[in-house]
Amino acid sequence: MNPPEVLTPERIDERVSAAVDALRSRPQISNVFLTACGGSFALMMPLQHVLQSSTVLEAHALNAREFTTRAPKSLGPNSLVVLCSHSGDTPETVEAARFAREQGALTIALTHELESPLALASEFVIGYQHGDAKRYAYTSAPILYRIIHALVDRATSSSTLAPATDAVAALDGIVEGLLAAHYDRADAWAKAHARSGLIYTLGSGPNYGSAYSFAICLLQEMLWVHSQGINSAEYFHGPFEITDFDVPFIDLLGLGVSRPIDERTHAFLVTKSDDVLTLDAAEWDLALVPEALRPSFAHLVFTPLLRLYAERLADHRGHPLSVRRYMWRMEY
Amino acid sequence: MNPPEVLTPERIDERVSAAVDALRSRPQISNVFLTACGGSFALMMPLQHVLQSSTVLEAHALNAREFTTRAPKSLGPNSLVVLCSHSGDTPETVEAARFAREQGALTIALTHELESPLALASEFVIGYQHGDAKRYAYTSAPILYRIIHALVDRATSSSTLAPATDAVAALDGIVEGLLAAHYDRADAWAKAHARSGLIYTLGSGPNYGSAYSFAICLLQEMLWVHSQGINSAEYFHGPFEITDFDVPFIDLLGLGVSRPIDERTHAFLVTKSDDVLTLDAAEWDLALVPEALRPSFAHLVFTPLLRLYAERLADHRGHPLSVRRYMWRMEY
């Protein structure tokens, strides 16, 4: 067996280019299924927003098991299926890749493990960086962001891939600056929530995925804190009645068309709860990101910024983010 | 001003027929946006499942504000937009109807108020029954179910509308039998949860909407109980780590292709939590429903059955389902 491939930026870029070339060689693609599970599924949600709002492609974000069980009749040789699994051995996602290929769809998979079942099952495979030595620009979400802009360009004869790639290249500087600027605030918030049993997260549009993954992966899975990722556009249609002075919320304020959704929710929320952590993309220095891309770019920043808050919470709770009681510890 | 129209079954059926005729006269329809807010949005989720699994139509279920803000480029004269608002004056849904018509889409709206802004903004309007004197067959979800089967027939040259209509006609008998059979169990469960601060709900496939609406409308909105509607297909990818012996869950077991998802989640859940309320569609007498329709029909039963549990919970908590602290009581 060969040693595992080193996931250098150059090697990742080569594989992105191969996938982009494949997209360009299939002008018949008319629909896109963005499919994965859990935190990887959350990565798909902003991509659906980008594709729906800027192309006539029919874009669907679906949990991988929902995808294979409902077996969409519109899946076929004119479909692109984008998949992601960190370990590459999530059975539902591997099955989704196999099913998609059987139906003749073009498959592009992201995974950290290039020898994994998902990598073997998919036509195009792109590795990504992870862990302490990573560059944010080469983690999964920004790579997916680039791929999707290649598709936008193909569908609309525009040129968004180059500026999107430049914007992604600026991600490390943006995130590192914000992590430093937010450290004290994150630590104080985490100390205040060291005993909180429940924390809601709110976001909308291209940032809903960040709110969802923070709720189900960081809070529920890693910290055993009850949560729900509430779409801010749904907040006034039910969830808002649980708002009270002592109910904790994390509220993401995005940019662009969905910002008014976030602002309306935020304006109400802060009058009824005394425990709102607001993360506002309008406060960030995004000078290196073209203005037209900023609304869809923001989620690339929210997710690592939120992780800082989770890390501080883990420290104050004495519950490392790596602790599990079920995952990886038993059959299920 | 004319007196409001009485929503008799005959009058509702007339309006369903008019909408069905409109669908048949537009063979060019290639995509469907199912859009609403909150509990009405939840009604759209099973329809997406039916359309995706049985037709090549591209079906999207989107919150109404997400729909108008992302303004899908694939929306146009070849689109059907299905909307629902009980009061007919949900601003986001009214705006969605206006936006859809501006783009040339066929609009079909369900509402309890036939003189409402939504009714005025939509091309085809169907009223439905509600409240104590209602027949379940003439409430919103089963009417939507019929409309969608008319579309399935148009797209696939099949004949599902007649059996779907017959199945819906059997709904009152099925639901009333189950409400009687479940009363004591619902009451005992409600008494045991009179002080519970949080209850999760689980469902998948065509039943996820029932789990979602119970979480956000019945538990969060009407009972001020913390919740999340967890898709059972996502459970093992994050949420399952919050499972513990004393964490309450309501677990919906459906039929058909998504049942294995539910069964896998259920098998794990009952070994880790001592507080699982299981509602299993396989235990129901669905003899009057054709076998092929049962998986997608089950949600029409889950939703009213769940409401019984909410009503008993309301009684034991001394918190009527009609009580609100914000909704209808202030501007927001």
Side-chain angles (χ1 to χ4, degrees):
Chain A
M1 198 170 161
N2 296 325
E5 186 178 337
V6 178
L7 296 166
T8 62
E10 294 71 26
R11 193 72 189 98
I12 292 169
D13 285 339
E14 271 173 36
R15 285 179 175 250
V16 170
S17 294
V20 166
D21 289 345
L23 287 176
R24 287 177 177 153
S25 71
R26 299 232 194 160
Q28 73 273 28
I29 288 173
S30 63
N31 64 15
V32 184
F33 292 90
L34 305 154
T35 186
C37 295
S40 294
F41 175 44
L43 298 177
M44 302 298 174
M45 298 174 183
L47 309 180
Q48 186 198 31
H49 193 283
V50 170
L51 288 174
Q52 286 187 319
S53 61
S54 58
T55 79
V56 298
L57 296 168
E58 306 278 0
H60 307 275
L62 269 180
N63 163 281
R65 193 90 162 91
E66 288 280 356
F67 172 73
T68 52
T69 49
R70 68 179 68 175
K73 284 278 194 293
S74 68
L75 174 71
N78 296 339
S79 302
L80 166 66
V81 179
V82 180
L83 309 112
C84 183
S85 162
H86 183 69
S87 63
D89 65 1
T90 308
E92 299 96 317
T93 310
V94 177
E95 178 60 23
R98 284 187 192 130
F99 176 69
R101 287 191 81 175
E102 280 166 18
Q103 307 302 314
L106 174 63
T107 48
I108 298 178
L110 267 78
T111 176
H112 189 251
E113 302 300 332
L114 290 174
E115 309 291 326
S116 63
L118 178 64
L120 299 174
S122 304
E123 197 170 349
F124 289 87
V125 182
I126 305 170
Y128 58 81
Q129 296 186 347
H130 177 74
D132 291 342
K134 70 176 174 292
R135 283 173 57 186
Y136 285 105
Y138 287 96
T139 56
S140 50
I143 294 171
L144 286 164
Y145 190 68
R146 290 163 62 191
I147 301 277
I148 286 306
H149 279 91
L151 190 57
V152 169
D153 289 352
R154 217 271 297 130
T156 63
S157 303
S158 56
S159 303
T160 64
L161 177 56
T165 302
D166 290 346
V168 161
L171 188 60
D172 284 78
I174 294 167
V175 169
E176 278 158 22
L178 284 168
L179 294 183
H182 278 253
Y183 187 91
D184 290 346
R185 186 178 169 209
D187 192 66
W189 176 85
K191 185 177 176 189
H193 293 83
R195 320 253 185 281
S196 299
L198 174 141
I199 301 168
Y200 284 112
T201 61
L202 281 159
S204 78
N207 302 312
Y208 175 67
S210 297
Y212 178 76
S213 67
F214 193 76
I216 72 157
C217 296
L218 279 300
L219 292 176
Q220 290 186 303
E221 175 185 326
M222 300 186 197
L223 289 162
W224 306 350
V225 173
H226 295 300
S227 189
Q228 179 192 157
I230 300 171
N231 187 315
S232 300
E234 286 281 276
Y235 175 68
F236 290 111
H237 302 285
F240 81 140
E241 282 281 335
I242 48 76
T243 312
D244 210 337
F245 73 96
D246 60 349
V247 178
F249 290 86
I250 300 176
D251 193 18
L252 308 185
L253 297 190
L255 302 169
V257 292
S258 59
R259 185 170 179 88
I261 301 174
D262 302 332
E263 285 178 336
R264 180 181 171 220
T265 295
H266 186 259
F268 181 88
L269 189 63
V270 295
T271 66
K272 303 300 176 204
S273 169
D274 299 330
D275 194 349
V276 181
L277 170 66
T278 304
L279 298 179
D280 186 352
E283 294 175 359
W284 307 339
D285 178 1
L286 297 176
L288 294 174
V289 180
E291 197 164 342
L293 290 180
R294 288 178 199 165
S296 62
F297 183 88
H299 77 279
L300 302 176
V301 180
F302 274 127
T303 299
L305 182 57
L306 282 164
R307 194 176 174 97
L308 170 66
Y309 286 80
E311 285 170 355
R312 298 316 310 140
L313 202 52
D315 192 28
H316 283 284
R317 296 174 84 95
H319 178 117
L321 295 179
S322 57
V323 168
R324 301 291 187 281
R325 47 185 156 189
Y326 311 129
M327 192 177 273
W328 314 315
R329 296 184 61 162
M330 58 186 69
E331 292 288 316
Y332 47 83
Chain B
M1 200 170 157
N2 296 323
E5 185 179 338
V6 177
L7 296 166
T8 61
E10 294 72 24
R11 194 71 188 99
I12 292 170
D13 284 339
E14 271 172 37
R15 286 181 174 249
V16 170
S17 293
V20 166
D21 289 345
L23 287 176
R24 286 178 178 152
S25 72
R26 299 233 194 159
Q28 73 274 27
I29 288 172
S30 62
N31 64 16
V32 184
F33 292 90
L34 306 154
T35 187
C37 296
S40 294
F41 175 45
L43 298 177
M44 302 298 175
M45 298 174 183
L47 309 181
Q48 186 198 30
H49 194 283
V50 170
L51 289 174
Q52 286 187 318
S53 60
S54 57
T55 79
V56 297
L57 296 168
E58 305 280 359
H60 307 275
L62 269 180
N63 163 279
R65 192 92 163 91
E66 288 280 357
F67 172 73
T68 52
T69 49
R70 68 179 70 175
K73 284 276 192 296
S74 67
L75 174 71
N78 297 339
S79 302
L80 165 67
V81 179
V82 180
L83 308 113
C84 182
S85 161
H86 183 68
S87 63
D89 66 1
T90 307
E92 299 96 316
T93 311
V94 177
E95 177 60 23
R98 285 187 193 131
F99 176 68
R101 286 189 82 175
E102 280 166 17
Q103 306 302 313
L106 174 63
T107 47
I108 299 177
L110 266 79
T111 176
H112 188 251
E113 303 301 332
L114 290 174
E115 308 291 325
S116 64
L118 179 63
L120 299 174
S122 303
E123 198 170 349
F124 289 86
V125 183
I126 305 171
Y128 58 81
Q129 297 185 347
H130 178 75
D132 290 343
K134 70 175 174 292
R135 284 173 57 187
Y136 286 105
Y138 288 95
T139 55
S140 51
I143 295 172
L144 286 164
Y145 190 68
R146 290 163 61 192
I147 302 276
I148 285 307
H149 280 91
L151 190 58
V152 169
D153 289 353
R154 216 272 297 132
T156 62
S157 304
S158 55
S159 303
T160 64
L161 177 57
T165 302
D166 290 347
V168 161
L171 187 59
D172 284 78
I174 295 166
V175 170
E176 279 158 21
L178 284 169
L179 293 183
H182 277 253
Y183 187 91
D184 290 345
R185 186 179 169 208
D187 192 67
W189 176 84
K191 184 177 176 189
H193 294 83
R195 318 253 186 283
S196 298
L198 174 141
I199 301 169
Y200 284 111
T201 62
L202 281 159
S204 78
N207 302 312
Y208 175 68
S210 297
Y212 178 76
S213 67
F214 194 76
I216 72 158
C217 296
L218 279 299
L219 291 176
Q220 289 186 303
E221 175 187 324
M222 301 187 196
L223 289 162
W224 305 349
V225 173
H226 296 299
S227 189
Q228 180 193 157
I230 300 170
N231 187 315
S232 301
E234 286 282 277
Y235 175 68
F236 290 111
H237 302 285
F240 82 140
E241 282 281 335
I242 47 77
T243 311
D244 211 337
F245 73 95
D246 60 349
V247 177
F249 289 86
I250 300 177
D251 192 19
L252 308 185
L253 297 190
L255 303 169
V257 292
S258 59
R259 184 169 180 89
I261 301 174
D262 303 332
E263 285 179 335
R264 180 182 171 220
T265 294
H266 186 260
F268 181 88
L269 190 62
V270 295
T271 66
K272 304 300 176 206
S273 169
D274 299 329
D275 193 349
V276 181
L277 169 67
T278 304
L279 298 179
D280 186 352
E283 294 174 359
W284 307 339
D285 179 1
L286 297 176
L288 295 174
V289 180
E291 198 163 340
L293 290 179
R294 289 178 199 165
S296 62
F297 182 88
H299 78 278
L300 302 176
V301 180
F302 273 127
T303 299
L305 182 57
L306 281 164
R307 194 176 173 96
L308 169 67
Y309 286 80
E311 285 170 354
R312 299 314 311 138
L313 202 52
D315 193 29
H316 284 285
R317 296 175 84 95
H319 178 115
L321 295 179
S322 58
V323 169
R324 300 289 186 285
R325 48 184 155 189
Y326 311 129
M327 192 177 274
W328 314 314
R329 296 183 63 162
M330 58 186 70
E331 293 287 318
Y332 48 83

